[in-house]
Amino acid sequence: MRKHIFDAWIMFKRCFLISLRNPEALLMATITPFFLMLLFGTVFGSIADVGNLNYIDFIVPGIIMQSFGTASQHTAMNVSSDMAKGITDRFRSMSISKSAVLIGHTGAGVVRNVISAAVIIATAFLLGFRPQGGFTLWLLIAGVLVLVSITISLLAVLCGIISKTPEGSSGLMFPLFILPFISSGFVPTEAMPSGIKIFAEVQPMTPMIDSVRALMLDLPLGNSLWIALIWCLGLSLVSFLAAIQVYTHKSAQ
Protein backbone atom coordinates (compact mmCIF):
# COMPACT_ATOMS: atom_id res chain seq x y z
CA MET A 1 0.00 0.00 0.00
CA ARG A 2 2.81 2.41 0.88
CA LYS A 3 4.49 1.70 -2.45
CA HIS A 4 1.28 2.45 -4.36
CA ILE A 5 0.98 5.81 -2.58
CA PHE A 6 4.63 6.61 -3.32
CA ASP A 7 4.22 5.65 -6.99
CA ALA A 8 1.10 7.81 -7.28
CA TRP A 9 2.94 10.76 -5.69
CA ILE A 10 5.84 10.43 -8.15
CA MET A 11 3.45 10.26 -11.10
CA PHE A 12 1.56 13.28 -9.79
CA LYS A 13 4.75 15.34 -9.52
CA ARG A 14 5.70 14.35 -13.07
CA CYS A 15 2.31 15.35 -14.48
CA PHE A 16 2.25 18.58 -12.51
CA LEU A 17 5.71 19.55 -13.75
CA ILE A 18 4.54 18.90 -17.30
CA SER A 19 1.69 21.34 -16.67
CA LEU A 20 4.09 23.97 -15.34
CA ARG A 21 6.21 23.62 -18.46
CA ASN A 22 3.16 23.92 -20.70
CA PRO A 23 2.17 27.62 -20.82
CA GLU A 24 -0.93 26.82 -22.90
CA ALA A 25 -2.33 24.61 -20.12
CA LEU A 26 -1.73 27.27 -17.48
CA LEU A 27 -3.23 29.90 -19.78
CA MET A 28 -6.39 27.84 -20.24
CA ALA A 29 -6.62 27.34 -16.46
CA THR A 30 -6.39 31.06 -15.64
CA ILE A 31 -7.13 33.44 -18.52
CA THR A 32 -10.06 31.54 -20.02
CA PRO A 33 -12.15 31.40 -16.82
CA PHE A 34 -11.37 35.07 -16.20
CA PHE A 35 -12.82 36.11 -19.55
CA LEU A 36 -15.78 33.73 -19.22
CA MET A 37 -16.70 35.32 -15.91
CA LEU A 38 -16.17 38.80 -17.33
CA LEU A 39 -18.23 38.08 -20.45
CA PHE A 40 -21.24 36.48 -18.79
CA GLY A 41 -21.18 38.79 -15.79
CA THR A 42 -21.18 42.02 -17.79
CA VAL A 43 -22.80 41.24 -21.16
CA PHE A 44 -25.60 38.86 -20.21
CA GLY A 45 -26.24 40.07 -16.68
CA SER A 46 -28.58 42.83 -17.84
CA ILE A 47 -30.83 40.59 -19.94
CA ALA A 48 -31.08 37.38 -17.90
CA ASP A 49 -33.98 36.87 -15.49
CA VAL A 50 -32.96 34.93 -12.37
CA GLY A 51 -35.56 36.28 -10.00
CA ASN A 52 -34.35 38.11 -6.91
CA LEU A 53 -30.76 36.91 -7.25
CA ASN A 54 -27.85 38.93 -8.54
CA TYR A 55 -26.84 37.41 -11.90
CA ILE A 56 -23.17 37.35 -10.90
CA ASP A 57 -24.07 35.34 -7.80
CA PHE A 58 -26.23 33.02 -9.91
CA ILE A 59 -23.69 32.11 -12.61
CA VAL A 60 -20.50 31.56 -10.59
CA PRO A 61 -21.11 27.78 -10.09
CA GLY A 62 -21.95 27.29 -13.79
CA ILE A 63 -18.78 29.10 -14.90
CA ILE A 64 -16.73 26.98 -12.51
CA MET A 65 -18.16 23.73 -13.92
CA GLN A 66 -17.56 24.91 -17.46
CA SER A 67 -13.97 25.81 -16.65
CA PHE A 68 -13.44 22.33 -15.18
CA GLY A 69 -14.49 20.82 -18.49
CA THR A 70 -12.22 23.16 -20.45
CA ALA A 71 -9.15 22.70 -18.23
CA SER A 72 -9.61 18.91 -18.17
CA GLN A 73 -9.12 18.77 -21.92
CA HIS A 74 -5.41 19.08 -21.18
CA THR A 75 -5.59 16.06 -18.87
CA ALA A 76 -7.10 14.00 -21.67
CA MET A 77 -4.53 15.27 -24.15
CA ASN A 78 -1.60 14.55 -21.80
CA VAL A 79 -2.80 10.99 -21.21
CA SER A 80 -3.34 10.40 -24.92
CA SER A 81 0.08 11.88 -25.70
CA ASP A 82 1.76 9.53 -23.21
CA MET A 83 -0.03 6.59 -24.80
CA ALA A 84 0.87 7.66 -28.36
CA LYS A 85 4.55 8.33 -27.57
CA GLY A 86 5.03 5.01 -25.82
CA ILE A 87 5.78 6.58 -22.46
CA THR A 88 3.22 4.38 -20.76
CA ASP A 89 5.00 1.35 -22.26
CA ARG A 90 8.14 2.45 -20.44
CA PHE A 91 6.20 2.73 -17.21
CA ARG A 92 4.81 -0.76 -17.82
CA SER A 93 8.35 -2.13 -17.92
CA MET A 94 9.04 -0.61 -14.50
CA SER A 95 7.79 -1.67 -11.11
CA ILE A 96 5.01 0.94 -11.08
CA SER A 97 1.39 0.20 -10.31
CA LYS A 98 -1.02 0.85 -13.19
CA SER A 99 -3.33 2.92 -11.01
CA ALA A 100 -0.48 5.24 -10.01
CA VAL A 101 -0.07 6.45 -13.60
CA LEU A 102 -3.77 7.29 -13.86
CA ILE A 103 -3.92 8.84 -10.38
CA GLY A 104 -0.98 11.08 -11.24
CA HIS A 105 -2.77 12.52 -14.27
CA THR A 106 -5.97 12.87 -12.26
CA GLY A 107 -4.22 14.76 -9.46
CA ALA A 108 -2.57 17.20 -11.86
CA GLY A 109 -5.95 17.80 -13.48
CA VAL A 110 -7.52 18.54 -10.10
CA VAL A 111 -4.83 21.15 -9.37
CA ARG A 112 -5.50 22.88 -12.70
CA ASN A 113 -9.22 22.88 -11.95
CA VAL A 114 -8.67 24.34 -8.47
CA ILE A 115 -6.65 27.16 -10.03
CA SER A 116 -9.49 27.81 -12.48
CA ALA A 117 -12.07 27.91 -9.69
CA ALA A 118 -9.94 30.33 -7.66
CA VAL A 119 -9.55 32.68 -10.64
CA ILE A 120 -13.30 32.61 -11.31
CA ILE A 121 -14.24 33.36 -7.71
CA ALA A 122 -11.67 36.18 -7.49
CA THR A 123 -12.97 37.69 -10.75
CA ALA A 124 -16.56 37.34 -9.55
CA PHE A 125 -15.74 39.32 -6.40
CA LEU A 126 -14.43 42.14 -8.59
CA LEU A 127 -17.72 42.09 -10.51
CA GLY A 128 -19.90 42.22 -7.39
CA PHE A 129 -20.15 38.60 -6.25
CA ARG A 130 -21.30 38.56 -2.64
CA PRO A 131 -21.66 35.04 -1.19
CA GLN A 132 -23.66 34.55 1.99
CA GLY A 133 -22.21 31.26 3.26
CA GLY A 134 -19.97 31.22 6.33
CA PHE A 135 -16.65 29.45 6.92
CA THR A 136 -18.22 26.04 7.47
CA LEU A 137 -20.23 26.27 4.26
CA TRP A 138 -17.12 27.31 2.33
CA LEU A 139 -15.33 24.20 3.58
CA LEU A 140 -18.23 22.16 2.27
CA ILE A 141 -18.13 24.08 -1.02
CA ALA A 142 -14.43 23.30 -1.36
CA GLY A 143 -15.11 19.63 -0.71
CA VAL A 144 -17.88 19.49 -3.33
CA LEU A 145 -15.74 21.29 -5.93
CA VAL A 146 -12.78 18.98 -5.33
CA LEU A 147 -15.04 15.93 -5.65
CA VAL A 148 -16.52 17.25 -8.90
CA SER A 149 -13.02 18.05 -10.14
CA ILE A 150 -11.85 14.51 -9.40
CA THR A 151 -14.86 13.14 -11.29
CA ILE A 152 -14.23 15.27 -14.36
CA SER A 153 -10.49 14.56 -14.27
CA LEU A 154 -11.13 10.81 -14.16
CA LEU A 155 -13.46 11.17 -17.15
CA ALA A 156 -10.66 13.07 -18.90
CA VAL A 157 -8.18 10.28 -18.13
CA LEU A 158 -10.59 7.73 -19.60
CA CYS A 159 -11.08 9.87 -22.73
CA GLY A 160 -7.31 10.16 -23.09
CA ILE A 161 -6.83 6.41 -22.86
CA ILE A 162 -9.53 5.42 -25.35
CA SER A 163 -8.62 8.12 -27.88
CA LYS A 164 -6.12 7.41 -30.66
CA THR A 165 -4.80 10.98 -30.83
CA PRO A 166 -4.46 13.89 -28.37
CA GLU A 167 -6.69 16.00 -30.61
CA GLY A 168 -9.35 13.31 -30.56
CA SER A 169 -9.26 13.15 -26.77
CA SER A 170 -9.91 16.88 -26.61
CA GLY A 171 -12.95 16.38 -28.82
CA LEU A 172 -14.29 13.68 -26.52
CA MET A 173 -14.21 16.18 -23.66
CA PHE A 174 -16.22 18.79 -25.57
CA PRO A 175 -19.61 17.69 -24.13
CA LEU A 176 -18.40 18.72 -20.68
CA PHE A 177 -18.02 22.26 -22.01
CA ILE A 178 -21.57 22.20 -23.42
CA LEU A 179 -23.44 20.53 -20.53
CA PRO A 180 -23.28 23.56 -18.18
CA PHE A 181 -25.14 25.59 -20.84
CA ILE A 182 -27.96 23.02 -20.84
CA SER A 183 -28.32 23.07 -17.07
CA SER A 184 -29.25 25.49 -14.32
CA GLY A 185 -25.85 27.15 -14.69
CA PHE A 186 -26.92 30.26 -16.59
CA VAL A 187 -30.71 30.37 -16.45
CA PRO A 188 -33.25 28.63 -14.20
CA THR A 189 -34.49 25.37 -15.69
CA GLU A 190 -38.07 26.62 -15.27
CA ALA A 191 -37.42 29.16 -18.04
CA MET A 192 -36.40 26.49 -20.57
CA PRO A 193 -38.60 24.81 -23.21
CA SER A 194 -40.14 21.59 -21.91
CA GLY A 195 -37.86 19.14 -23.75
CA ILE A 196 -34.66 20.94 -22.81
CA LYS A 197 -35.95 21.43 -19.28
CA ILE A 198 -36.37 17.67 -18.78
CA PHE A 199 -32.82 17.01 -19.99
CA ALA A 200 -31.41 19.85 -17.89
CA GLU A 201 -33.03 18.54 -14.73
CA VAL A 202 -31.80 14.94 -15.11
CA GLN A 203 -28.24 15.55 -16.28
CA PRO A 204 -25.47 15.56 -13.61
CA MET A 205 -24.32 19.17 -13.96
CA THR A 206 -27.59 20.62 -12.64
CA PRO A 207 -27.49 19.11 -9.10
CA MET A 208 -23.76 19.89 -8.90
CA ILE A 209 -24.37 23.53 -9.83
CA ASP A 210 -27.47 23.83 -7.65
CA SER A 211 -25.57 22.44 -4.65
CA VAL A 212 -22.65 24.84 -4.98
CA ARG A 213 -24.99 27.80 -5.57
CA ALA A 214 -27.13 26.96 -2.54
CA LEU A 215 -24.05 26.65 -0.33
CA MET A 216 -22.52 29.88 -1.63
CA LEU A 217 -25.71 31.90 -1.19
CA ASP A 218 -26.98 30.05 1.90
CA LEU A 219 -30.12 28.90 0.09
CA PRO A 220 -32.17 25.73 0.75
CA LEU A 221 -30.29 22.68 -0.53
CA GLY A 222 -33.13 20.24 -0.97
CA ASN A 223 -31.93 16.94 -2.44
CA SER A 224 -29.43 18.50 -4.85
CA LEU A 225 -26.34 17.81 -2.71
CA TRP A 226 -27.14 14.11 -2.26
CA ILE A 227 -27.92 13.72 -5.96
CA ALA A 228 -24.66 15.48 -6.85
CA LEU A 229 -22.67 13.21 -4.53
CA ILE A 230 -24.27 10.11 -6.04
CA TRP A 231 -23.44 11.31 -9.56
CA CYS A 232 -19.85 12.12 -8.59
CA LEU A 233 -19.19 8.84 -6.80
CA GLY A 234 -20.87 6.78 -9.52
CA LEU A 235 -19.11 8.49 -12.42
CA SER A 236 -15.76 8.43 -10.62
CA LEU A 237 -16.00 4.72 -9.89
CA VAL A 238 -17.08 3.80 -13.43
CA SER A 239 -14.45 6.06 -15.03
CA PHE A 240 -11.63 4.73 -12.84
CA LEU A 241 -12.49 1.06 -13.34
CA ALA A 242 -12.99 1.54 -17.08
CA ALA A 243 -9.72 3.46 -17.37
CA ILE A 244 -7.81 0.73 -15.52
CA GLN A 245 -9.32 -1.96 -17.73
CA VAL A 246 -8.63 -0.15 -21.02
CA TYR A 247 -5.13 0.85 -19.85
CA THR A 248 -4.32 -2.74 -18.92
CA HIS A 249 -5.67 -4.02 -22.23
CA LYS A 250 -3.69 -1.52 -24.31
CA SER A 251 -0.54 -2.11 -22.28
CA ALA A 252 -0.80 -5.85 -22.96
CA GLN A 253 -0.92 -5.39 -26.73
Side-chain angles (χ1 to χ4, degrees):
M1 181 65 181
R2 184 176 299 177
K3 183 181 184 304
H4 289 309
I5 296 175
F6 179 76
D7 290 345
W9 173 247
I10 294 298
M11 289 296 102
F12 165 75
K13 289 198 297 183
R14 169 189 174 268
C15 295
F16 185 62
L17 287 174
I18 290 174
S19 297
L20 291 178
R21 295 168 184 170
N22 184 354
E24 290 83 4
L26 293 177
L27 190 67
M28 288 293 290
T30 55
I31 301 300
T32 300
F34 171 80
F35 280 107
L36 281 173
M37 192 69 241
L38 194 63
L39 173 66
F40 281 94
T42 57
V43 176
F44 298 106
S46 60
I47 61 176
D49 183 10
V50 292
N52 297 324
L53 296 177
N54 183 342
Y55 192 62
I56 293 293
D57 297 340
F58 185 86
I59 65 172
V60 168
I63 297 288
I64 290 175
M65 298 302 166
Q66 193 172 57
S67 73
F68 282 0
T70 302
S72 294
Q73 289 180 347
H74 291 279
T75 300
M77 293 177 69
N78 289 340
V79 173
S80 182
S81 179
D82 281 354
M83 298 288 289
K85 294 177 181 179
I87 295 176
T88 52
D89 292 333
R90 298 179 187 177
F91 291 150
R92 184 167 57 88
S93 65
M94 304 176 185
S95 179
I96 299 175
S97 63
K98 298 180 179 66
S99 62
V101 178
L102 307 183
I103 291 172
H105 280 290
T106 302
V110 170
V111 171
R112 282 193 296 270
N113 290 340
V114 168
I115 293 173
S116 294
V119 171
I120 289 171
I121 292 173
T123 306
F125 270 108
L126 295 177
L127 296 175
F129 176 51
R130 296 298 180 264
Q132 303 299 317
F135 179 74
T136 303
L137 287 180
W138 273 100
L139 288 179
L140 188 54
I141 291 168
V144 172
L145 291 179
V146 169
L147 182 58
V148 173
S149 179
I150 291 172
T151 303
I152 294 178
S153 296
L154 283 170
L155 284 169
V157 168
L158 177 59
C159 289
I161 292 175
I162 64 179
S163 179
K164 294 182 179 180
T165 63
E167 293 77 12
S169 66
S170 178
L172 291 177
M173 291 295 295
F174 186 70
L176 288 178
F177 178 80
I178 296 297
L179 281 179
F181 284 116
I182 319 173
S183 71
S184 61
F186 298 94
V187 295
T189 57
E190 293 78 10
M192 299 178 178
S194 58
I196 299 177
K197 175 185 175 182
I198 293 173
F199 175 78
E201 290 178 344
V202 300
Q203 64 122 320
M205 283 292 179
T206 292
M208 296 175 188
I209 290 170
D210 287 346
S211 299
V212 174
R213 180 184 295 125
L215 292 171
M216 284 182 171
L217 303 180
D218 198 15
L219 300 173
L221 267 172
N223 295 324
S224 60
L225 181 58
W226 293 110
I227 297 173
L229 292 177
I230 291 171
W231 269 113
C232 288
L233 294 176
L235 288 173
S236 296
L237 181 61
V238 171
S239 299
F240 181 75
L241 293 178
I244 287 288
Q245 185 175 4
V246 176
Y247 179 80
T248 302
H249 176 72
K250 286 193 172 185
S251 298
Q253 293 179 346

